[in-house]
Amino acid sequence: MTDLSCVIAGVPFKNPVMMASGTFGFGREYSAFYPIDELGGICGKGLTLHPKEGNPGIRMWETASGMMNSVGLENPGVHAFLEQECPYWETLDTVRIANLGGGCLEDYTEGARLIEENENKRRKEGRSAVDMIELNISCPNVKEGGMAFGIQTEEARKVVRAVRREVSMPLIVKLSPGAEKLTEMAYMCEQEGADAVSLINTISAMKIDVRSRKSVFRHGYAGLSGPAIKPIALRMVHQVSHAVNIPVIGVGGISSGEDIMEFIMAGASAVQVGTAGFADLRAGVRLIRELETLMIEEKISHLDEVRGIV
Ligand SMILES: Cc1cc2nc3c(=O)[nH]c(=O)nc-3n(C[C@H](O)[C@H](O)[C@H](O)COP(=O)(O)O)c2cc1C
């Protein structure tokens, strides 16, 4: 018997495969193509306290082995999410993770507070829509000059500490590959009470149009994702899982069951799949099946047998 289940921060997952934030909307569109309850979990589009229009101009660019995006966190805001998307999330039988970004500390704390307050109200009525919060600390701190919170450990500490004080819901902190000291950053998250870390977010990258002699992206740089970043993500997950005792969720370029197994062997408790879903709408469920087949072939009955084996 193969058992794909896992538990992160006390939350039981059917299997270790979640859809990554920003690549799956809030799941509704995908439910027309397959039962998304088969997934281990879903991470919603990155939310900010107030609605955000996102970036002007070109937002996506395909690259060899991946893509770049400059979406700029277009989203309806926390209030609209709670009113319009949570009734749908209530109907799902998969782990539901709200991904939260912010331009200043108060955006994160107020956003997290509202999500938890709303969830507590639902639970009193015997309902539930959100199981976990994932903090995206890669957002620029607009109040203090635009440097992303996720670069310097002490800047990130302020966010994690403040949000942890505000809410008791399971908290995942999503780390940026641009962090100055990645393992120190992950350890800080553990010290400040995060229940898990996920990594990596996209890698800062660029595309130049030689005819116009300009970057194709209005803001100059964009985030690289997909198979091109997988070896880097895998190395970072390996390093971080040796630096912390909380679960590590591996993200970056995963597009096969074998890729998932690599992340598990590097120490991940679970994974998130993003860009692969653009080329194959059913990537999430396909990968679960591929992972199960690989486990049978390799006579692995539970992923704990090989987790962190490398
Ligand atoms: C179009 C697009 C939008 C994204 N939006 C978000 C977001 O809102 N919040 C977030 O934490 N990560 C966001 N990400 C990053 C992904 O969740 C993931 O960390 C990254 O793409 C690496 O995984 P992948 O190679 O499987 O796509 C986005 C990625 C893409 C491609």
Side-chain angles (χ1 to χ4, degrees), residues 20-23 44-47 60 67 69 71 73 99 134-136 174 200-202 223-227 229 251-254 272-276 278:
S21 178
T23 65
K45 172 67 198 158
L47 297 166
M60 298 241 193
M67 59 174 276
N69 91 83
V71 171
L73 272 184
N99 178 287
E134 181 178 55
L135 284 187
N136 171 15
K174 185 164 180 180
I200 57 175
N201 212 315
T202 55
L224 180 66
S225 62
I229 70 169
V251 201
I254 294 172
Q272 294 177 1
V273 178
T275 301
F278 290 117

Side-chain angles (χ1 to χ4, degrees), residues 15 17-19 23-24 30 33-34 38-39 254-257 260 271-291:
N15 61 67
V17 183
M18 301 165 230
M19 299 313 287
T23 65
F24 199 65
Y30 286 81
F33 299 100
Y34 65 90
E38 284 183 27
L39 297 166
I254 294 172
S255 56
S256 69
I260 297 175
V271 297
Q272 294 177 1
V273 178
T275 301
F278 290 117
D280 171 9
L281 281 176
R282 297 181 182 79
V285 280
R286 172 174 60 81
L287 266 53
I288 295 165
R289 289 188 194 115
E290 286 180 10
L291 177 66

Side-chain angles (χ1 to χ4, degrees), residues 29-305:
E29 302 91 325
Y30 286 81
S31 60
F33 299 100
Y34 65 90
I36 65 174
D37 284 351
E38 284 183 27
L39 297 166
I42 59 168
C43 301
K45 172 67 198 158
L47 297 166
T48 46
L49 184 56
H50 304 292
K52 212 164 176 289
E53 277 192 0
N55 292 338
I58 287 175
R59 289 181 165 190
M60 298 241 193
W61 198 274
E62 190 167 354
T63 67
S65 249
M67 59 174 276
M68 285 182 281
N69 91 83
S70 175
V71 171
L73 272 184
E74 176 178 337
N75 80 95
V78 170
H79 292 279
F81 163 72
L82 296 173
E83 277 165 32
Q84 291 158 22
E85 303 297 339
C86 282
Y88 169 65
W89 276 25
E90 266 187 22
T91 67
L92 298 177
D93 179 22
T94 185
V95 176
R96 300 142 306 176
I97 302 165
N99 178 287
L100 186 62
C104 62
L105 201 59
E106 296 73 34
D107 285 355
Y108 283 100
T109 50
E110 183 60 4
R113 191 190 66 74
L114 285 170
I115 292 169
E116 179 161 277
E117 184 184 79
N118 191 275
E119 181 62 15
N120 286 343
K121 221 157 78 190
R122 279 173 206 272
R123 288 192 184 179
K124 274 192 195 136
E125 296 162 2
R127 303 179 292 141
S128 166
V130 179
D131 301 293
M132 309 175 98
I133 294 176
E134 181 178 55
L135 284 187
N136 171 15
I137 55 170
S138 303
C139 307
N141 181 351
V142 288
K143 260 196 183 167
E144 288 176 33
M147 164 83 96
F149 284 108
I151 304 293
Q152 289 168 351
T153 308
E154 292 314 310
E155 281 305 298
R157 187 188 298 278
K158 292 181 199 162
V159 179
V160 181
R161 181 174 288 176
V163 172
R164 183 72 294 173
R165 278 199 189 133
E166 198 66 44
V167 297
S168 55
M169 280 181 84
L171 196 62
I172 303 167
V173 181
K174 185 164 180 180
L175 305 180
S176 166
E180 273 175 1
K181 293 180 182 157
L182 186 65
T183 51
E184 185 187 276
M185 179 74 88
Y187 183 62
M188 175 280 291
C189 294
E190 179 173 16
Q191 279 182 321
E192 296 297 335
D195 296 291
V197 287
S198 54
L199 66 148
I200 57 175
N201 212 315
T202 55
I203 297 178
S204 183
M206 191 178 194
K207 164 73 188 165
I208 290 172
D209 176 347
V210 296
R211 306 282 170 198
S212 67
R213 304 178 181 193
K214 286 181 181 155
S215 166
V216 301
F217 298 107
R218 281 296 169 89
H219 292 288
Y221 304 144
L224 180 66
S225 62
I229 70 169
K230 199 201 85 183
I232 302 170
L234 191 63
R235 185 263 295 169
M236 290 179 161
V237 164
H238 186 255
Q239 287 177 318
V240 166
S241 62
H242 282 85
V244 296
N245 289 310
I246 49 176
V248 175
I249 300 169
V251 201
I254 294 172
S255 56
S256 69
E258 205 167 308
D259 289 345
I260 297 175
M261 187 62 87
E262 283 192 71
F263 276 87
I264 301 287
M265 288 185 171
S269 291
V271 297
Q272 294 177 1
V273 178
T275 301
F278 290 117
D280 171 9
L281 281 176
R282 297 181 182 79
V285 280
R286 172 174 60 81
L287 266 53
I288 295 165
R289 289 188 194 115
E290 286 180 10
L291 177 66
E292 197 167 12
T293 305
L294 181 60
M295 287 172 72
I296 294 167
E297 283 170 9
E298 288 298 310
K299 300 188 175 48
I300 298 164
S301 50
H302 195 280
L303 292 171
D304 282 347
E305 293 162 27

